[in-house]
Structure formats: C-alpha cells, structure tokens
Amino acid sequence: MDEQTALVLALQLVALFSIAGALLLYLLCKIKPESGVESEESSPGAGKPVLVTSCDNAIGLQIALHLADRGYRVFAGLKDGAASGDSNDSASARVIRGWLKHRESLASISLQGTIVALPLDVNREDLLHESVDIIRAHLPAGKDGLWAVINTSGVMYRGRLEQQDVTHWDAILRTNVVGMLRVARTFQTLLRSSQGRIITLGNSEGEEAGLVAYTASRYAIQGASNALREELATSGVKVITLNPKGLSMDFMLTTPKLISKPDAEVSVDIFGHLEFQPIVLPPSALHVVNVAITCGNPKRNYTLLKKQLWRKPLHIFTA
C-alpha cells in the first residue's frame, strides 16, 4: 500500500468514526424520561427541612407523608394545632400521629425523615410568626433555614357567579392569594439563609363553569409567583409553580377521611400507616414533586400529571 492510499484510508476511517460518534451523541440526547422531567432528582431528603403549609387537605397530607418517607424533616401545618396534642382529633392529625408512632417502632433502623406538626393558618399572622419560632426550635444546632416551603393551603366553592355569596369570593381570594403572599413574606428569611424554594399550585390552564372566583385566584397565584420569582432571584430563593391540570381540585383540597373496616376499626396499610382517602397524586406526580424540590436548577413550572391522563376521570389513585 502506497503512502497516498494509506492517507486516504486513514481519512475515511476518521470520517466514519466521527459520523458514528455524532450518531451516538444524537441518540443519547433524544432519550428522555417519559414524564418530561428529569429522570431523577439531584439528591434525597437527607433530613432537609421542608414546610407544608396545610396538611388539613388531601394533597398537603399526601405530600407531607411522601417527603417524610423520603428522609425530609417535614413541618406539617394544621389549623387546629399540633398533631401531638390531644385536642386535634382530625383525620390528618391522627394519620400524622400514627406515622410518628410507626416510625418510633423502627428505632433500630437509621431513618432521617420525621414530621413536626405545628399550628398554622395562612389567614392568621400570629400563627404564621409562631410557626417560624417553632421551626427554628426544631432545626439542628447551627441551622437556621428551610429548604422548601410548599404552599398547599387553599379553598374553593362551586356555583354559578350569580348564585354565589360575596363572602365566598372573599374567602377564596383571602386564603388562596393573600395567604400565599403572607406565606412568602413570613418565610423569606428562613429561605434566604438556605437559598431554598417556594413551591405553589398554579393555574390548570383551563376554565370551568361554576369556578369563576376560584379560577381567578389560581391565575393570580400564577402571576404573583412569576413576579415573586424575579423579586427573589438575587437572593437565591427559587419560586416554582406546579400545574395541576387534569387533577380534581375538589379532591385535592378536600378534608381527608380515615378508611374504616366493616367493624369500624381504622384500616392500616402494609407499612403500618393509617389509611386515608382520597389519595390524589399518582406516583408519576409525586416524582414531579421530588424533582421540583431537589433539582439544583429547577424549571419555573412543572405539570404534575402526564398529558395522556388529562382527560381521564382519575381522582383517587392507589400507591
């Protein structure tokens, strides 16, 4: 083989390997998780402190238990007081107490997650400021910050606008919009020190008859979150909205109920937890929550439910 032929052959081999490499890189870039979000969150809970503003509703209770199971130190807001007290006999309080009791029975296993219930109502400034003191008292020595605040507080009333009482509008806007602003203002200091994040439920990108005032509140939350994101950007605090499109807000904001057996005993699942309903978020939506709460460079908005499930009547999911 002469020198010129060898040179041509070498160039052909280089071109062939370059094409193969480019094709491989293209295929790797095309492979994405089915859910449309990152394949896995950046890190597990590892005892990071997270506040869920309302566990009095189904979505808040489910998220709080999910994050505690994943190793987070979850501060669970309850309007009627701390779950450790005897005065609160709500289903949410009983589920949290049951979770803590079961966790105590596993003391021999090294587990980081826990739940600290505290009195919190987004419409009451005194309870909001009191919750800051409670959170600080339960943080490890030398720590003074929250990793995330997840605002699950909210109310809704169905009914045609002409038939609704103005007091319903006031309650919706006061809790959903003004309450969200109060939460953001109250916990900014704890979030700045850890460069944490505020997570809210945004609008569902759709309108429904009978929910005019509620829909207005959701669009207001979305707009406020967008503006707040710009305002807090220099402090390192991230603001994320979760799009609940395809999920029933009636079920998400409803008061949980314990599941009882025919003999009136409360059902317990295989993990020793008291069972409750409704379970509103499927595993894929909980994965989106995981990504939103842990990703180092999160998106501004995440959709909780996969697009192919939007039109299906899915309101209660199994674990």
Side-chain angles (χ1 to χ4, degrees):
M1 182 183 299
D2 58 41
E3 185 175 337
Q4 185 175 3
T5 302
L7 179 61
V8 171
L9 181 59
L11 291 174
Q12 289 176 337
L13 287 174
V14 170
L16 180 62
F17 282 116
S18 299
I19 293 173
L23 180 60
L24 179 61
L25 181 62
Y26 172 78
L27 291 175
L28 290 174
C29 291
K30 290 293 288 182
I31 298 176
K32 295 182 178 179
E34 183 181 356
S35 64
V37 297
E38 290 83 346
S39 61
E40 187 53 65
E41 54 271 22
S42 60
S43 63
K48 292 177 180 176
V50 173
L51 170 65
V52 180
T53 62
S54 177
C55 291
D56 295 297
N57 55 42
I59 186 173
L61 181 59
Q62 186 181 1
I63 288 177
L65 294 171
H66 170 72
L67 294 178
D69 283 335
R70 290 186 58 81
Y72 290 88
R73 179 185 296 267
V74 178
F75 294 94
L78 294 170
K79 285 185 179 180
D80 294 327
S84 58
D86 297 330
S87 60
N88 191 342
D89 198 41
S90 68
S92 295
R94 293 177 65 184
V95 169
I96 291 174
R97 287 199 297 267
W99 187 95
L100 290 169
K101 184 177 180 180
H102 178 67
R103 182 54 63 99
E104 290 176 0
S105 69
L106 303 176
S108 59
I109 304 176
S110 178
L111 299 171
Q112 291 181 311
T114 190
I115 301 178
V116 178
L118 47 79
L120 196 154
D121 183 341
V122 298
N123 292 319
R124 290 184 54 181
E125 291 278 355
D126 59 332
L127 290 183
L128 283 167
H129 292 295
E130 181 181 335
S131 66
V132 172
D133 296 333
I134 295 174
I135 290 171
R136 282 180 165 150
H138 283 84
L139 291 176
K143 301 292 184 180
D144 187 38
L146 281 169
W147 176 255
V149 172
I150 306 176
N151 186 24
T152 56
S153 301
V155 296
M156 69 178 295
Y157 295 99
R158 283 189 175 273
R160 297 187 65 83
L161 195 67
E162 61 188 16
Q163 299 171 340
Q164 280 190 327
D165 194 296
V166 176
T167 57
H168 288 167
W169 307 346
D170 292 338
I172 289 172
L173 296 176
R174 183 175 65 252
T175 301
N176 299 0
V177 183
V178 180
M180 175 263 186
L181 298 178
R182 282 198 177 108
V183 166
R185 183 176 64 181
T186 302
F187 298 102
Q188 274 190 42
T189 302
L190 290 176
L191 289 168
R192 282 196 181 101
S193 62
S194 60
Q195 294 193 329
R197 59 199 67 195
I198 299 174
I199 300 176
T200 63
L201 294 175
N203 67 70
S204 59
E205 299 177 0
E207 293 74 34
E208 183 179 345
L211 290 177
V212 176
Y214 177 78
T215 301
S217 73
R218 283 297 160 198
Y219 274 92
I221 292 172
Q222 184 74 53
S225 296
N226 292 341
L228 187 62
R229 182 181 302 112
E230 299 301 319
E231 186 172 309
L232 299 180
T234 56
S235 65
V237 176
K238 305 169 183 64
V239 180
I240 304 162
T241 54
L242 302 178
N243 183 337
K245 185 171 185 178
L247 292 165
S248 170
M249 294 305 298
D250 296 84
F251 283 93
M252 293 173 72
L253 297 179
T254 193
T255 301
K257 295 182 179 179
L258 296 177
I259 299 176
S260 299
K261 297 178 182 178
D263 57 4
E265 292 182 3
V266 178
S267 298
V268 178
D269 64 21
I270 59 174
F271 300 105
H273 304 162
L274 297 181
E275 291 188 293
F276 66 93
Q277 61 180 10
I279 301 297
V280 294
L281 299 180
S284 59
L286 291 174
H287 172 72
V288 175
V289 174
N290 294 340
V291 173
I293 201 172
T294 60
C295 183
N297 186 26
K299 299 178 182 178
R300 294 185 170 194
N301 304 279
Y302 289 93
T303 300
L304 285 171
L305 202 61
K306 295 178 181 179
K307 188 173 183 178
Q308 58 266 35
L309 298 178
W310 284 355
R311 295 185 178 180
K312 295 184 179 181
L314 295 177
H315 301 311
I316 301 178
F317 299 88
T318 56

